[in-house]
Amino acid sequence: MSSSPGWFCCSVLLLVCLGSAAKDEHFLGQREVTFDLDQLMQVMQQPESLDLQKEEDLSELLDPKEFPIEQMMVSPPDINGRERGRPSFGPRSFGGPPMLQYPVQFPLSRPTSNNLQAICLHGDHRPRYAIRSYFPASGFGQLKRQAEAVNNAESWFDVCCKGNQTWETEVTLCCATQAWELFVETFCSADSSVKDRLYDCCKLTGSDRLNCFNRDAPNPNYGATEELPVTPIPSTISFSFDQNTCQRAQMAPYSARADRKKKEKKASTAENVDISFPPGRPSADAIESLCSHQKLRPLYHTRCLPRSGFEWLARQAKTVNRIEKGYRQCCKKKQGVLSCVDQKWSDEIDRFCLTDGLSFSCCSSQSSADRYSCFHSMSIDPHYNKTSAPEDLSLNSICDTHKIIDRRFPVGFPLKLFVRQCCPLPEEERTACSAQKLEEMSKKLCSSGGRSPPTVRQCCKLPSQETPQCVSKILMNAVNKATNVLRQKQRKKCPLS
């Protein structure tokens, strides 16, 4: 079947003539159109074989102004039917691109301290997408990938928000940030693996890519956009969060796959937090061990902490130190010790929550009684029992204290024999070795006459079977003093181990 400009012009001529001849008053907006009949006849007389070889210009005959095409701005409706998003242009009769019928709130914005609370609070009032029922069976590939990425990220946010009650805001934020950056990485990886138009932000790398996603987010504050709670959709990609990842001076985000492996390697060797916080609330049952074994509980110095990233740990360490200082003052009293230590404890807990805000979960309780109960229940040693049993001292302790003994508590005879021959042995063999070497050393000291120290000479006046026990007491006295010095040095430690 063939066509020609001539036939087209005849059809136009017929329609124009009918329009011009109409006299009905209902044909409003029509008017007479003039044309050159000779020119039309010339076009019709062209050879038919040239119909497909020559393009005719009819602009002089048909003025575009006579047939206007209207355009209008179409804003995509969101899930609740409200207009949102950037405007796009399209013919009014077509109703806009088909993709606007399946809106997806993509991408998500970067978690911050300002929107973290909303991320957790409104998680069940932001959209999730059932891919198979929401979209048609075919097409819409990129929208489906965006919807799946949003489902994954919201599911990972739930993991962070439902984390351990001991998490600080910094740790929860670190978890959410790691989840968000994994959301960016996995989406761009999936989007680039198919022959489709690549999402613009995925064309960038590193921080530029992350910033681009953050700028494009339609709901940067993570506000609630659904009136009714949505049905959670499990993630298609597993997400695991290691808290040690955040316990560094800079909680650097995961940006690229190679970068992530490098930082995971660093995280495995990162220093771990070693602090007994919070201390339990004093009680009548715990007051004895609280006071009698206070020197066995550690204090913490904060100069060892990095300059940034560990402010929360410094606040905990300082709170423990102030509580222990208050305990020391109260335990010196003869009456009202329990009420004194309890007041010191509650005052410092209130002070901690005042400076720490709501980052520590127990501080969010409005009632002071509930707040105190929460802190007490979170304590790893609420009754002060873990540090109440001092280690048993024996001659084996010389292996750890002989340098302090020689420097500060000399016994008048060398300890090298014990250290050189007994300390390298397994712990279960040291006792027998120490007893044997002590007996040999006692005989040697007593046979040396006046060259022995006065304390040893007193032991030599005893019967021979009692001499080793007497020398052992001299040694154990020095070991006890050296051990107390060692404990004092170890008591104040760095909360990072």
Side-chain angles (χ1 to χ4, degrees):
M1 183 176 64
S2 61
S3 61
S4 68
W7 285 107
F8 173 75
C9 292
C10 288
S11 300
V12 172
L13 177 62
L14 178 60
L15 292 175
V16 172
C17 290
L18 290 176
S20 302
K23 303 298 181 180
D24 195 334
E25 61 181 358
H26 295 290
F27 284 84
L28 298 178
Q30 294 183 346
R31 59 183 178 177
E32 184 177 3
V33 179
T34 61
F35 55 89
D36 191 337
L37 182 59
D38 293 337
Q39 187 175 355
L40 283 176
M41 295 303 295
Q42 291 177 6
V43 172
M44 295 175 62
Q45 293 174 3
Q46 294 293 328
E48 191 167 327
S49 60
L50 299 177
D51 288 348
L52 301 178
Q53 299 179 7
K54 184 176 180 181
E55 183 177 357
E56 297 296 339
D57 185 8
L58 301 180
S59 59
E60 296 181 0
L61 300 178
L62 303 177
D63 188 354
K65 296 181 179 179
E66 302 292 339
F67 302 92
I69 298 177
E70 292 190 26
Q71 291 183 330
M72 63 178 294
M73 293 179 62
V74 179
S75 296
D78 67 6
I79 293 177
N80 293 324
R82 297 184 299 272
E83 291 189 353
R84 67 167 182 84
R86 298 176 179 175
S88 59
F89 292 92
R92 180 170 58 181
S93 60
F94 294 158
M99 64 177 295
L100 301 182
Q101 301 174 17
Y102 306 97
V104 177
Q105 287 192 13
F106 179 92
L108 303 179
S109 65
R110 177 188 285 111
T112 66
S113 57
N114 295 327
N115 61 25
L116 180 62
Q117 185 175 2
I119 288 176
C120 295
L121 184 62
H122 304 307
D124 58 349
H125 284 79
R126 290 190 298 272
R128 311 286 174 95
Y129 305 94
I131 308 297
R132 294 184 178 179
S133 60
Y134 184 65
F135 295 100
S138 60
F140 302 91
Q142 189 174 77
L143 279 179
K144 291 179 180 178
R145 291 190 293 274
Q146 292 178 2
E148 183 178 4
V150 170
N151 291 343
N152 288 339
E154 291 287 1
S155 178
W156 298 337
F157 287 158
D158 288 343
V159 174
C160 297
C161 295
K162 295 177 181 178
N164 193 298
Q165 291 295 317
T166 61
W167 283 11
E168 301 278 350
T169 297
E170 291 89 345
V171 179
T172 305
L173 178 58
C174 177
C175 178
T177 301
Q178 180 180 333
W180 179 77
E181 290 173 355
L182 185 59
F183 145 80
V184 172
E185 178 186 340
T186 53
F187 170 76
C188 287
S189 177
D191 207 40
S192 61
S193 64
V194 296
K195 294 182 178 180
D196 197 353
R197 180 176 58 87
L198 187 65
Y199 188 74
D200 289 341
C201 293
C202 292
K203 299 175 183 178
L204 306 175
T205 59
S207 60
D208 292 336
R209 173 186 289 183
L210 299 178
N211 293 335
C212 181
F213 270 84
N214 184 56
R215 286 193 302 267
D216 282 1
N219 185 18
N221 297 323
Y222 286 89
T225 58
E226 305 298 307
E227 294 183 3
L228 299 177
V230 299
T231 302
I233 297 180
S235 62
T236 58
I237 301 175
S238 61
F239 169 73
S240 59
F241 170 63
D242 182 8
Q243 185 174 344
N244 291 331
T245 304
C246 305
Q247 294 168 356
R248 299 195 298 269
Q250 298 294 334
M251 290 189 290
Y254 287 7
S255 55
R257 188 179 301 274
D259 228 15
R260 188 172 78 180
K261 291 181 180 179
K262 183 178 180 181
K263 289 176 182 176
E264 283 177 341
K265 185 176 181 180
K266 287 183 179 180
S268 64
T269 59
E271 295 174 312
N272 296 321
V273 172
D274 182 17
I275 185 173
S276 181
F277 184 88
R281 186 174 189 177
S283 62
D285 296 334
I287 192 67
E288 182 178 355
S289 58
L290 184 152
C291 288
S292 60
H293 302 293
Q294 188 181 12
K295 292 183 178 181
L296 301 178
R297 293 191 298 272
L299 297 176
Y300 305 97
H301 59 87
T302 58
R303 292 182 179 179
C304 61
L305 298 178
R307 293 183 179 180
S308 61
F310 289 88
E311 293 81 6
W312 60 276
L313 186 58
R315 290 193 295 269
Q316 293 183 7
K318 291 177 181 179
T319 299
V320 171
N321 293 345
R322 286 193 294 264
I323 288 177
E324 289 291 347
K325 181 180 179 180
Y327 287 171
R328 184 170 64 253
Q329 296 171 353
C330 294
C331 290
K332 293 179 180 179
K333 296 184 177 181
K334 295 182 179 179
Q335 295 181 345
V337 176
L338 177 59
S339 60
C340 180
V341 294
D342 184 69
Q343 187 65 45
K344 294 291 184 181
W345 182 87
S346 57
D347 287 346
E348 291 302 329
I349 292 299
D350 291 341
R351 179 178 177 179
F352 172 80
C353 286
L354 184 63
T355 57
D356 203 58
L358 300 179
S359 62
F360 199 82
S361 58
C362 290
C363 293
S364 60
S365 300
Q366 298 296 326
S367 169
S368 58
D370 293 340
R371 187 162 59 250
Y372 298 156
S373 178
C374 179
F375 272 90
H376 181 72
S377 64
M378 291 176 61
S379 174
I380 60 175
D381 185 22
H383 303 294
Y384 298 87
N385 290 327
K386 287 191 175 183
T387 56
S388 61
E391 59 178 317
D392 295 331
L393 297 180
S394 65
L395 288 177
N396 296 341
S397 302
I398 295 178
C399 297
D400 299 324
T401 59
H402 66 92
K403 292 183 179 180
I404 299 177
I405 293 174
D406 289 340
R407 185 172 63 252
R408 300 185 58 178
F409 311 105
V411 292
F413 49 86
L415 302 177
K416 293 181 180 180
L417 185 64
F418 280 91
V419 176
R420 185 173 60 252
Q421 298 187 16
C422 297
C423 291
L425 298 175
E427 190 170 354
E428 59 272 11
E429 298 179 14
R430 289 180 186 176
T431 302
C433 177
S434 300
Q436 180 184 353
K437 298 305 174 186
L438 179 63
E439 185 174 357
E440 293 176 0
M441 186 174 59
S442 299
K443 293 180 180 180
K444 186 176 181 180
L445 290 173
C446 291
S447 62
S448 62
R451 290 181 296 176
S452 300
T455 54
V456 174
R457 287 199 296 268
Q458 293 293 327
C459 293
C460 292
K461 295 179 181 179
L462 299 174
S464 58
Q465 66 271 16
E466 297 181 10
T467 302
Q469 287 81 5
C470 181
V471 176
S472 176
K473 289 181 179 180
I474 298 174
L475 276 177
M476 289 306 301
N477 184 43
V479 168
N480 186 48
K481 293 178 180 179
T483 301
N484 288 335
V485 172
L486 188 62
R487 284 173 179 169
Q488 289 298 321
K489 288 184 176 181
Q490 294 176 344
R491 185 188 180 196
K492 196 163 187 178
K493 63 182 183 180
C494 182
L496 285 180
S497 60

